Amino acid sequence: MATRPLPEVVLIRGGTLYDPSTGHSRQRDVLIVDGMLAADGESVPSGAHVIEAAGCVVTHGFIDLHAHFREPGGEDKETLATGAEAAMAGGFTRVCVMANTDPPVDSPEAIAAIREKSAQLPVIIYPIGAITAKMAGLELAELRGMRSAGAVAFSDDGKPVTDGQVLRNALLYAADLGLPIINHAEDAALRGAGVMNEGALSTRLGLPGNPGMAEESMVYRDLLLAQNTGGRLHVPHVSTAGAVDQIRAFKAAGVAITAEATPHHIALTEELLRGFDTAAKVAPPLRTDRDREAVLAGLLDGVIDCIATDHAPHTVEDKELDMVNAPFGMIALESAFGLAHQALAGAGATVEQVIDMLTARPAKVMGLELTPLKPGAAAELVVVDPHEEWTFGIGDIHSKSRNTPVPGMRLRGRVRATITSKGLSDIN
Ligand code: DOR
């Protein structure tokens, strides 16, 4: 379902409209004329493109706070345009892109270039600027200039900021600028050469392990720095039960921090590494079932604010290397809803709660306004069938890369259509 220009008239028929900014649901058709939501009761012009939505929920497009689109420098893995295709296929209408490109996005000019190159794409791309110059971890990048150019947050994601004083200064500056700092929390020395979760399974497989405390020690340091600076820390891709406990304790103490979890950390475990499948090699690693359940519980009780994908494309050649040498990361946009909904529904969540974790909750973390779901507003919608059980296949991938362990898995919940004023992607 490649994205095509939005037909002049689109009718989404028979669905339930759920507005995550109000929490209200009602059964109604949605008519879109020239990219805008039409008034209630407006007659449907002939020739409308009809999206059948019986049994489906029609809602605000998803917002991803964490994706790697690789442009500039890694266009063989993903470009802004192919990343936008993957986003549309996954129900995402806005994506924040990480700065670990080649060269890293560490200047106002680089932020401006991403905004210009993505202006015509069907999804909104929000650039995240690097925390440190060249992502070298030593000196702060031009944070103020990047904010003026349109950066929505700062992160060296992919690499931790190891120097505590540098991160402390970053939090102080970012507090002044009103933007969050997102630190990739893995202590590099403790992680060492680890390629999977450290434990009985890594020992049995003979693979170098990355212990949970590599994440927990750095999350704890970062939480202390946030508490002491008043800076806005956002903790990415939480993967351990211990990190969830720490975030819970600091939130309870009134520290203004936020956190995200990926679909893979709430749905998958280290067991996938048994087959030495490099598609399941990711940083931080897939962990134990106990960790998975704790992260899932954290999302459900609000200690973890939202879902973010950490979509991290790599070429087939890169991932064909052995477990030790293949790069970390998996693509995630296309499977995000099905995988996350499957795990969360299994734990008792409603589809509306899952939608909130992908819309209102990430918007709040990043200070973004949702588009109102009312007449006159620009279309920014997704149609999901929460009941559909389906097998995710290679054909569902729209990214330029293929690195995901999800193909062949049964998922519950599927994106049927994504609609923005610039494009339509549907599987009707
Ligand atoms: O697995 C990962 N891959 N984790 C990250 O934080 C970075 C990402 C990448 O850029 O490939």
Side-chain angles (χ1 to χ4, degrees):
M1 57 167 179
T3 304
R4 54 206 153 99
L6 188 67
E8 217 169 291
V9 184
V10 177
L11 177 67
I12 308 174
R13 188 158 60 194
T16 299
L17 183 67
Y18 170 66
D19 186 345
S21 54
T22 61
H24 292 149
S25 280
R26 66 188 171 119
Q27 187 85 30
R28 57 162 285 184
D29 294 347
V30 178
L31 180 65
I32 300 156
V33 179
D34 291 331
M36 314 263 254
L37 270 58
D40 281 7
E42 191 165 309
S43 62
V44 181
S46 60
H49 175 84
V50 178
I51 297 173
E52 296 296 353
C56 294
V57 179
V58 183
T59 190
H60 193 289
F62 302 151
I63 299 173
D64 188 12
L65 301 188
H66 189 146
H68 300 268
F69 279 2
R70 310 295 189 207
E71 188 174 344
E75 289 84 353
D76 53 336
K77 298 173 190 248
E78 196 81 286
T79 64
L80 292 164
T82 61
E85 278 295 329
M88 287 291 284
F92 291 86
T93 52
R94 308 189 202 183
V95 180
C96 301
V97 293
M98 283 295 171
N100 65 337
T101 50
D102 184 15
V105 176
D106 66 352
S107 68
E109 295 74 20
I111 294 283
I114 289 188
R115 293 195 59 193
E116 275 158 32
K117 281 192 207 161
S118 57
Q120 299 312 318
L121 296 175
V123 304
I124 301 172
I125 307 267
Y126 296 105
I128 293 174
I131 298 173
T132 65
K134 298 187 167 59
M135 276 184 52
L138 302 174
E139 287 167 30
L140 292 188
E142 297 173 64
L143 305 189
R144 187 173 296 276
M146 286 197 282
R147 189 193 68 162
S148 303
V152 294
F154 302 109
S155 181
D156 282 4
D157 186 78
K159 277 169 83 176
V161 176
T162 295
D163 186 319
Q165 190 67 270
V166 171
L167 198 73
R168 182 184 188 187
N169 286 333
L171 281 160
L172 286 168
Y173 265 94
D176 193 35
L177 300 173
L179 295 186
I181 290 283
I182 306 171
N183 185 35
H184 182 113
E186 282 191 299
D187 181 297
L190 283 172
R191 164 172 142 172
V195 300
M196 68 172 290
N197 183 50
E198 181 180 290
L201 186 59
S202 65
T203 307
R204 196 165 328 134
L205 296 176
L207 289 172
N210 170 355
M213 67 182 167
E215 175 167 327
E216 289 151 10
S217 59
M218 191 165 265
V219 167
Y220 190 70
R221 179 204 72 172
D222 293 352
L223 292 169
L224 281 179
L225 290 172
Q227 183 172 41
N228 282 280
T229 58
R232 268 274 290 109
L233 178 75
H234 177 69
V235 184
H237 40 54
V238 175
S239 77
T240 79
V244 177
D245 288 343
Q246 291 168 354
I247 294 164
R248 179 177 282 110
F250 275 73
K251 280 194 168 183
V255 185
I257 42 167
T258 54
E260 71 190 31
T262 69
H264 47 270
H265 288 115
I266 60 171
L268 309 176
T269 69
E270 61 178 3
E271 288 297 319
L272 278 183
L273 278 298
R274 268 187 199 281
F276 297 91
D277 179 5
T278 60
K281 178 181 173 185
V282 65
L286 300 176
R287 304 223 186 245
T288 64
D289 209 41
R290 184 179 154 265
D291 291 305
R292 185 190 68 77
E293 281 183 359
V295 177
L296 192 61
L299 253 178
L300 282 167
D301 68 19
V303 163
I304 296 184
D305 295 80
C306 65
I307 295 170
T309 68
D310 197 8
H311 177 86
H314 291 290
T315 61
V316 171
E317 293 75 26
D318 287 340
K319 281 288 194 178
E320 262 171 7
L321 297 169
D322 57 88
M323 279 301 285
V324 170
N325 291 299
F328 294 94
M330 55 178 76
I331 58 164
L333 284 161
E334 299 95 325
S335 57
F337 177 73
L339 199 59
H341 180 262
Q342 152 119 328
L344 285 155
T350 63
V351 67
E352 290 81 8
Q353 283 176 299
V354 179
I355 290 168
D356 289 350
M357 292 170 194
L358 287 159
T359 54
R361 287 167 59 169
K364 189 163 175 226
V365 167
M366 215 54 108
L368 305 173
E369 297 283 328
L370 294 183
T371 301
L373 302 189
K374 57 181 191 206
E380 184 177 3
L381 299 169
V382 61
V383 180
V384 297
D385 183 346
H387 309 291
E388 184 170 344
E389 297 201 12
W390 59 297
T391 303
F392 186 88
I394 294 287
D396 296 303
I397 294 175
H398 290 257
S399 166
K400 203 165 188 179
S401 292
R402 298 276 172 275
N403 54 304
T404 161
V406 181
M409 291 185 194
R410 290 289 287 172
L411 304 182
R412 173 147 52 118
R414 186 171 196 180
V415 172
R416 306 286 323 172
T418 310
I419 300 132
T420 70
S421 54
K422 298 214 188 80
L424 165 71
S425 164
D426 66 358
I427 52 173
N428 279 314

